[in-house]
Amino acid sequence: MALEPAKLGRSRSDLAALLRDERKRAGRTQTWLARRCNMSQTKVSNIEGGRLTPTPLDVELMLEALTVSDALSAEILVLARRANTEWQDHWSSRRRGLDKKQNELARLESASREFRFFLLSMITGLLATPDYVRASIADVAGDQSKTMAKKLERQQVLHDPSKSFTFILTEQAVRWPLLPPAAMSVQLDRLVSVSRIPQVRLGVIPLGGYVPERPLSTFTVYDRRLATVETGTGALLLRDHRDVSAYLAEFENYERHAVFGEECREILSEWSEAFTRQRQ
């Protein structure tokens, strides 16, 4: 299925209208449909009103109950997939202000319990030193002090005992010289420190050895309900259980190649010392 960013938002209202029309065509009430699909009447009402985005499974159940034709069902399921996919481009985020994006991420982190980060090319803000955070947004015009403050404030979530975090970083992500050698050494020491937090499991994939996987993007999986995939110009938010499951499986593949615990800390310390030697 081709996903056109301009159509993603509109597909939610289109999907709601089609589902409402098909229920009325079948001569059924919301209460009847809710009972057949093991949903509440309120949920059906919210779906038809566009206030709640149904999962593709919800839509499949509704279409089956209403005996919608195969051809129309296929069309509606395409809309359901689009409705569960959101595109956030960097330019819109920057116009709104990156500090507002940090607020959105903080709310998402507050509502989630289990986090999986695959970091292909950079260190994420939750693991970053102030210097690294500053460098990561250096190309954004204007005063970025609010964004910096919110990024650093979000790091407190790592100490929440009700949550668990797994970070997998490639060697490239860890060693990419975004900062001068001295500051990079401090950043790697920060990774060592974070890896000792009880809720955090931090691993690296060294470039040596044999890794048959072909990583294409940095991505994060929140619980088992949302995957975010970063590109050069924005991010995709995927809620379809098939998409989320695919990224969970991909994460598990990388996890098998990663080094964790004391062995990971030893590698990070070696790389930190290499940066230290560069500044001498």
Side-chain angles (χ1 to χ4, degrees):
M1 178 187 68
L3 291 176
E4 301 175 46
K7 294 183 178 180
L8 296 181
R10 194 173 71 242
S11 65
R12 291 185 179 88
S13 58
D14 293 343
L15 176 62
L18 276 170
L19 291 173
R20 182 175 62 250
D21 290 347
E22 285 305 303
R23 177 184 58 76
K24 291 181 177 179
R25 177 200 56 77
R28 300 297 186 179
T29 65
Q30 290 183 347
T31 301
W32 180 90
L33 183 59
R35 187 166 57 248
R36 288 294 297 270
C37 298
N38 195 28
M39 301 177 186
S40 68
Q41 185 272 330
T42 299
K43 179 175 180 178
V44 172
S45 176
N46 286 336
I47 290 172
E48 291 188 356
R51 295 179 295 276
L52 175 67
T53 301
T55 67
L57 179 58
D58 289 334
V59 174
E60 288 177 7
L61 291 172
M62 295 171 78
L63 295 175
E64 183 178 349
L66 296 170
T67 62
V68 177
S69 69
D70 290 345
L72 184 54
S73 291
E75 179 183 335
I76 293 175
L77 284 169
V78 167
L79 279 179
R81 193 92 189 276
R82 284 180 177 155
N84 280 272
T85 303
E86 180 182 347
W87 169 252
Q88 295 183 345
D89 66 86
H90 289 331
W91 298 280
S92 296
S93 295
R94 291 180 179 188
R95 281 196 302 271
R96 290 189 302 114
L98 291 183
D99 58 313
K100 294 180 175 61
K101 174 66 175 178
Q102 297 306 306
N103 289 336
E104 292 174 2
L105 289 171
R107 287 194 293 271
L108 180 55
E109 288 158 359
S110 176
S112 304
R113 288 291 175 265
E114 191 173 6
F115 305 78
R116 297 172 178 86
F117 291 79
F118 177 71
L119 305 171
L120 176 62
S121 57
M122 279 187 64
I123 295 168
T124 189
L126 289 179
L127 304 175
T129 63
D131 283 344
Y132 198 98
V133 170
R134 186 180 295 107
S136 71
I137 58 175
D139 63 330
V140 180
D143 181 10
Q144 296 303 323
S145 57
K146 286 185 179 179
T147 300
M148 268 202 65
K150 290 183 182 297
K151 274 181 170 283
L152 295 172
E153 181 183 329
R154 282 177 47 225
Q155 294 178 356
Q156 293 303 311
V157 74
L158 297 175
H159 298 278
D160 185 337
S162 70
K163 303 182 187 295
S164 66
F165 300 82
T166 303
F167 296 92
I168 297 177
L169 301 90
T170 65
E171 181 174 343
Q172 175 177 313
V174 175
R175 303 186 72 177
W176 187 264
L178 188 66
L179 299 170
M184 283 301 301
S185 179
V186 173
Q187 173 60 74
L188 268 64
D189 291 344
R190 155 82 178 161
L191 296 180
V192 171
S193 176
V194 171
S195 75
R196 299 184 187 280
I197 298 174
Q199 294 77 243
V200 173
R201 185 166 176 256
L202 189 148
V204 297
I205 302 178
L207 289 177
Y210 172 62
V211 182
E213 315 300 337
R214 300 175 301 282
L216 297 176
S217 303
T218 286
F219 64 87
T220 306
V221 181
Y222 297 86
D223 296 326
R224 294 179 177 271
R225 58 189 176 86
L226 172 67
T228 64
V229 185
E230 297 184 25
T231 74
T233 56
L236 277 172
L237 280 65
L238 306 169
R239 296 179 178 84
D240 188 327
H241 73 93
R242 292 170 294 184
D243 293 321
V244 176
S245 296
Y247 278 100
L248 282 169
E250 188 172 345
F251 189 88
E252 289 172 1
N253 286 337
Y254 299 138
E255 201 168 8
R256 284 192 281 269
H257 300 291
V259 176
F260 293 91
E262 201 56 45
E263 186 178 357
C264 173
R265 287 188 279 272
E266 289 176 4
I267 291 172
L268 290 171
S269 295
E270 290 174 8
W271 293 343
S272 175
E273 290 169 7
F275 276 117
T276 300
R277 289 193 295 272
Q278 287 183 38
R279 67 183 182 180
Q280 294 175 349

